[in-house]
Amino acid sequence: MAADAVAAAEVAEADGAARMSDMPIDIKGPAEIEAMREAGLLAAATLRAIGALVKPGISTGKLNQIAHEFQLDHGAIPAPLNYRGFPKSICTSVNDVVCHGIPSNKHVLREGDLVNVDVTPILAGFHGDTSATFFVGEVSDKARRVTEVSRKSLELGIAATKPGGRIRDIGAVIEDYAHGEGMSIVEDYCGHGIGRIFHTSPQVTHYRSRGPNPRMRPGMTFTIEPMINTGTKHTRLMKDNWTVKTRDGGLSAQFEHTVLVTAEGVEVLTDPAKLAGTKYDH
Ligand code: MF3
Ligand code: CO
Ligand code: CO
């Protein structure tokens, strides 16, 4: 979410907190971790179900409707709906849209599009937040490349997540890799602590940022969600007050997972590989 919007969200969500990055980082206990696993699993199942529907001719409004129903059918509520006024249940961000794209029945996906689908069910009070970028039919080499760089950026960020490490280790490895690939990294939006609250501390930047650099400890849960651009890192907020685009019209791709710091390292709570053998398996 927007770094500067984080403070407002905190006030709304956590009752008078000054800034997200100043909030103490919540350490989840065993019961909360189990609830986060369940929410993460449902998020992964939702994303997989919607991803399978992405093809030329489907509207982003249809994806929204199916994702909405899927979550209700599994006992969850889609967190984005009415979140600070967001009008839909998922975000669908196409081509030069960086994030927070609003689904619409009028927006039909076309061959060659890139679409990021971002889902966040609330299950039994806990959030699971995950997104992926999908190809609509065949896409350009450039589209393929920015997508692969964003996928790998998330992987590297996850690999840098371990107890005793520091939050800014994540952005450091992503910056070195993505810049080496000739891509830019969005700085205006970042990963976030998550649990009963959608967006809380710590703030997880995907580049070498200044400011707080807390140590990662077992029981922390947060998202890593690098937005990678082919052109400029700079963004522009559209008149609908949600849709964020690249300032130069270049392509943007993103992947997101919710992760848990464990005693041994990291657990990816929204890993689709975890779906095997669960009630979401088919
Ligand atoms: N899921 C987004 C994230 O990764 C947040 C979407 S907020 C909304 O943090 F209001 F735009 F839905
Ligand atoms: Co998120
Ligand atoms: Co998200």
Side-chain angles (χ1 to χ4, degrees):
M1 79 177 311
D4 59 356
V6 158
E10 266 313 314
V11 171
E13 289 188 320
D15 211 352
R19 271 169 47 108
M20 175 177 107
S21 48
D22 294 339
M23 298 268 299
I25 303 172
D26 187 41
I27 301 293
K28 269 87 180 168
E32 293 171 300
I33 288 170
E34 206 39 52
M36 286 296 289
R37 285 197 179 103
E38 291 300 322
L41 212 52
L42 177 55
T46 307
L47 186 60
R48 185 172 71 176
I50 301 310
L53 301 174
V54 171
K55 57 178 183 301
I58 196 164
S59 73
T60 56
K62 186 77 183 170
L63 298 178
N64 174 78
Q65 182 208 323
I66 294 168
H68 181 91
E69 285 165 7
F70 187 92
Q71 291 173 69
L72 294 194
D73 285 348
H74 290 92
I77 288 170
L81 186 60
N82 301 320
Y83 176 76
R84 307 182 68 234
F86 191 78
K88 297 287 177 179
S89 299
I90 62 173
C91 298
T92 51
S93 301
V94 180
N95 297 334
D96 63 336
V97 177
V98 171
C99 61
H100 304 166
I102 302 172
S104 163
N105 295 334
K106 284 185 251 172
H107 189 150
V108 175
L109 294 175
R110 295 191 304 182
E111 179 92 20
D113 283 342
L114 277 186
V115 60
N116 173 277
V117 176
D118 192 334
V119 305
T120 313
I122 308 172
L123 186 65
F126 288 85
H127 293 72
D129 191 1
T130 185
S131 86
T133 296
F134 299 97
F135 300 150
V136 184
E138 286 289 312
V139 304
S140 68
D141 283 351
K142 203 168 202 180
R144 220 173 273 277
R145 278 226 318 126
V146 70
T147 303
E148 288 321 310
V149 173
S150 62
R151 192 199 310 274
K152 183 83 183 288
S153 292
L154 172 55
E155 261 173 41
L156 292 172
I158 291 168
T161 301
K162 48 175 162 308
R166 294 210 178 251
I167 280 290
R168 277 193 265 146
D169 298 349
I170 295 167
V173 296
I174 294 174
E175 178 173 318
D176 289 345
Y177 165 67
H179 286 176
E181 295 294 319
M183 301 283 171
S184 71
I185 303 164
V186 171
E187 297 181 3
D188 299 337
Y189 302 86
C190 50
H192 48 91
I194 185 166
R196 285 189 178 278
I197 299 175
F198 195 171
H199 298 103
T200 184
S201 58
Q203 186 164 296
V204 182
T205 62
H206 305 109
Y207 63 100
R208 276 192 182 81
S209 56
R210 295 167 176 281
N213 191 12
R215 210 175 272 289
M216 295 185 263
R217 299 190 189 284
M220 288 183 179
T221 52
F222 51 82
T223 73
I224 306 173
E225 48 180 301
M227 285 143 275
I228 305 295
N229 297 351
T230 57
T232 182
K233 68 183 178 184
H234 295 290
T235 67
R236 183 157 69 98
L237 182 64
M238 298 295 102
K239 286 218 178 76
D240 61 18
N241 261 297
W242 280 106
T243 308
V244 177
K245 289 190 179 182
T246 58
R247 209 177 271 178
D248 61 0
L251 292 172
S252 190
Q254 180 182 26
F255 288 80
E256 174 176 26
H257 277 308
T258 299
V259 303
L260 164 73
V261 181
T262 65
E264 294 77 32
V266 62
E267 179 178 334
V268 180
L269 298 173
T270 47
D271 185 353
K274 284 182 150 209
L275 293 169
T278 71
K279 65 176 166 184
Y280 303 111
D281 210 4
H282 49 245

